[in-house]
Amino acid sequence: MQGEFVDSLVVKNGTKIVFLVLDGLGGIPMPDGDLTELEAAVKPHMDALAKKSVCGLLDPVGCGITPGSGPAHFALFGYDPIKTNVGRGLLSATGVDFPMTPRDLFMRVNFATVNEEGVLTDRRAGRLATEENERLCRKLAERVHLSSPAAAGVEVFFRTEIEYRAVIALRGDDLREELEETDPQQTGVAPLAPRALVPEAARTSAILAELIDKVRETLADEGKANMILLRGYAKYHQFPDMGSRFGLKTLAIANYPMYRGLARLVGMEINPLTHTIAEEFAALEQAFTRYDFFFMHVKPTDSRGEDGNFEAKVKVIEEVDALLPRLSALKPDVLVITGDHSTPAALKSHSWHPVPVLLAAPTCRPDRVESFGERDCIQGGLGRMPMANLMALALAHAQRLTKFGA
C-alpha cells in the first residue's frame, strides 16, 4: 500500500521513526558455507531486539528483480520504485550538490583501466582514491572541450563523487537520456558505445561519442584511470517531498554522495559529513530532539559484498550491532533495521534476494523470531512483502495514520 491513499491518512504527532539501513544487507551462503553474512555475524543486540519485534523479508521492486540502489531507496521511503525510477546520474549530481537546471543531462562515471587494445582490465581503476579523482576531474575540466557541430552550445562539467566515481553533466538544449550505457559490467571486453535507444537521442549519442574520445586522449598518460564508463543517464526530475507527504521533519545521516542526493530529492535535510559508523550514531544522538524521521545509512556492508569479502561484511554488521545500544537508548517510537537490497559476497553484486527487516515499536505484535537473519525473518509476522509498504507500517506503528472509513 502506497501513494496518495496513505498520504491522505497522515496525522502529525511528536513520535519519532528511525530507519537504520545497512546497504546491501541481505546475503546468501558462500559455496563452502551454510550461513549468510547476517546469520554468521555475532550480533546480540539485533537478536535481542528481534525477539520483541516483528520481522519479515522485503522485495525492493518485485520477486526476481535485482534492484539498483536508487529504486530500492525510493521504495524504502514509500515511493513507487518503478514510477520514480531515475538514472543514477541525477542521484549522484544531487549528492555532490551540483547546481542543476532543466537543461542538464547527468551521468554517473566510473574511472576505469583499459589495456593497449582498449579492453577493460579494471572497471574501478583500482578503487581510485578520492584525491586522485579530484585531480583527474580538474585535468578533464581544463582540457576537454566539445567542438563538433552536434555539440554547439553544449557545456560539459566534471565533478568528483567519491573514490573511482564521478559525475559528468552536459548542459544544452534538447539533450536526451535514452542512451546505451557504456559500462559492459565485466572486464575482458571493450567499453560499449553510447548508442541512441530512440531516434531523438541520436544527437546526444554523437555528443557523448565525442566526449569519450576526448576524455580518452586526455587520460592516455594515466597509469590506471585511463578511461571512463558512463552509466545512469538522467535529466532533472522533481518529486513530492516526504515532509509534505507524511508530515515529518526528516534528516538523512549518510556519507556516500548518491544517498545524500537521493535523500535531498525527497526533501530530507542532510547531516554534515561524518567519517565513521560511530560518528553516524553520534550525529543521530545530537540531532534526535530536532527531527521526526531519521534515515541512517551504512555503506560498507554493500562495498564488502561487492568485493566478495564475506568476513569483512560480517565485521561491518558486528560493528553496527555493537553501537546499537546507543540508538536504543534514545527510545525511538519506531526503529526499523533493514537494507535497501541484497549484496551477497558470493555473487559480488546486487541480487534479487529479498531483504531481512526488523520493526521494533511498543505497538508491534511480536512474532516468534529469535534471531535477526534471513531464514528466521521469513517466519516473521511481516512475512514477505513489497518494500514500498514499509513506510506505511512505520507510520502506523508511530500512530501517524488515522482510521480509514466510518
Side-chain angles (χ1 to χ4, degrees):
M1 186 180 298
Q2 56 188 320
E4 295 180 359
F5 174 62
V6 170
D7 300 1
S8 70
L9 302 179
V10 166
V11 293
K12 294 183 179 181
N13 60 29
T15 54
K16 295 182 182 292
I17 302 170
V18 177
F19 274 28
L20 174 56
V21 179
L22 282 69
D23 201 301
L25 176 63
I28 61 174
M30 296 294 279
D32 58 349
D34 298 317
L35 302 176
T36 71
E37 297 92 332
L38 183 59
E39 292 167 343
V42 178
K43 50 186 193 312
H45 301 108
M46 291 185 194
D47 291 343
L49 200 57
K51 292 178 182 178
K52 54 184 179 181
S53 302
V54 60
C55 298
L57 293 176
L58 303 175
D59 284 296
V61 177
C63 293
I65 306 301
T66 299
S69 296
H73 275 83
F74 274 116
L76 274 176
F77 302 146
Y79 294 75
D80 186 313
I82 297 174
K83 292 181 180 178
T84 56
N85 186 37
V86 296
R88 196 153 177 171
L90 173 61
L91 304 179
S92 295
T94 311
V96 300
D97 207 14
F98 184 85
M100 295 183 284
T101 79
R103 299 175 66 234
D104 294 343
L105 173 68
F106 304 104
M107 60 213 76
R108 193 183 198 203
V109 177
N110 271 25
F111 283 107
T113 309
V114 295
N115 62 20
E116 293 180 356
E117 288 74 39
V119 172
L120 274 169
T121 59
D122 190 335
R123 293 176 52 249
R124 300 180 178 92
R127 286 200 176 272
L128 192 72
T130 301
E131 295 76 16
E132 272 295 283
N133 186 319
E134 292 169 343
R135 179 185 68 80
L136 293 172
C137 282
R138 290 193 298 269
K139 179 178 180 179
L140 293 173
E142 292 169 359
R143 302 187 189 182
V144 174
H145 305 284
L146 303 175
S147 57
S148 67
V154 175
E155 299 176 86
V156 58
F157 304 89
F158 301 90
R159 294 289 187 274
T160 295
E161 187 173 7
I162 194 170
E163 296 177 340
Y164 57 91
R165 287 170 170 156
V167 181
I168 292 178
L170 297 181
R171 179 168 293 166
D173 295 326
D174 302 319
L175 298 173
R176 300 293 293 243
E177 60 187 11
E178 301 94 338
L179 300 153
E180 183 82 42
E181 295 185 345
T182 70
D183 185 354
Q185 298 288 326
Q186 60 181 314
T187 57
V189 297
L192 303 173
R195 182 174 59 89
L197 301 178
V198 297
E200 295 83 358
R203 170 175 167 262
T204 309
S205 172
I207 294 169
L208 288 181
E210 178 191 1
L211 172 67
I212 292 169
D213 285 343
K214 292 192 172 181
V215 167
R216 184 191 296 111
E217 293 172 5
T218 302
L219 298 180
D221 59 348
E222 298 290 338
K224 290 183 178 179
N226 59 2
M227 187 55 178
I228 59 170
L229 304 175
L230 305 181
R231 303 168 59 189
Y233 308 105
K235 297 281 288 181
Y236 179 59
H237 296 266
Q238 288 184 302
F239 302 96
D241 70 81
M242 291 182 67
S244 60
R245 288 191 64 194
F246 305 132
L248 296 167
K249 187 176 182 183
T250 57
L251 179 70
I253 302 173
N255 294 322
Y256 206 89
M258 196 207 80
Y259 306 99
R260 294 168 70 85
L262 194 151
R264 189 175 283 118
L265 279 179
V266 296
M268 292 192 203
E269 291 188 41
I270 311 299
N271 191 75
L273 282 171
T274 58
H275 299 94
T276 66
I277 297 174
E279 288 179 5
E280 291 191 61
F281 277 82
L284 177 66
E285 291 168 330
Q286 293 166 11
F288 193 71
T289 60
R290 304 196 304 274
Y291 298 88
D292 304 316
F293 177 90
F294 301 85
F295 161 49
M296 187 171 169
H297 181 264
V298 176
K299 176 62 176 174
T301 32
D302 180 60
S303 301
R304 302 295 83 80
E306 287 190 334
D307 290 342
N309 193 332
F310 185 97
E311 291 77 14
K313 184 176 174 183
V314 168
K315 288 183 183 300
V316 176
I317 295 169
E318 292 176 343
E319 180 181 357
V320 172
D321 186 79
L323 293 164
L324 192 57
R326 295 174 60 175
L327 197 167
S328 299
L330 298 173
K331 300 185 184 306
D333 297 280
V334 178
L335 169 58
V336 171
I337 302 176
T338 189
D340 55 337
H341 53 74
S342 294
T343 306
L347 298 179
K348 299 184 181 181
S349 66
H350 294 198
S351 75
W352 60 93
H353 299 91
V355 185
V357 60
L358 173 161
L359 189 154
T363 55
C364 79
R365 180 186 295 159
D367 50 35
R368 296 188 182 277
V369 172
E370 302 243 330
S371 178
F372 187 44
E374 288 85 348
R375 271 169 277 210
D376 292 280
C377 282
I378 192 56
Q379 303 175 57
L382 296 178
R384 181 171 175 173
M385 70 177 188
M387 185 175 280
N389 290 356
L390 180 63
M391 179 58 75
L393 277 174
L395 292 167
H397 282 285
Q399 301 184 62
R400 285 177 172 268
L401 295 181
T402 191
K403 182 176 69 173
F404 170 65

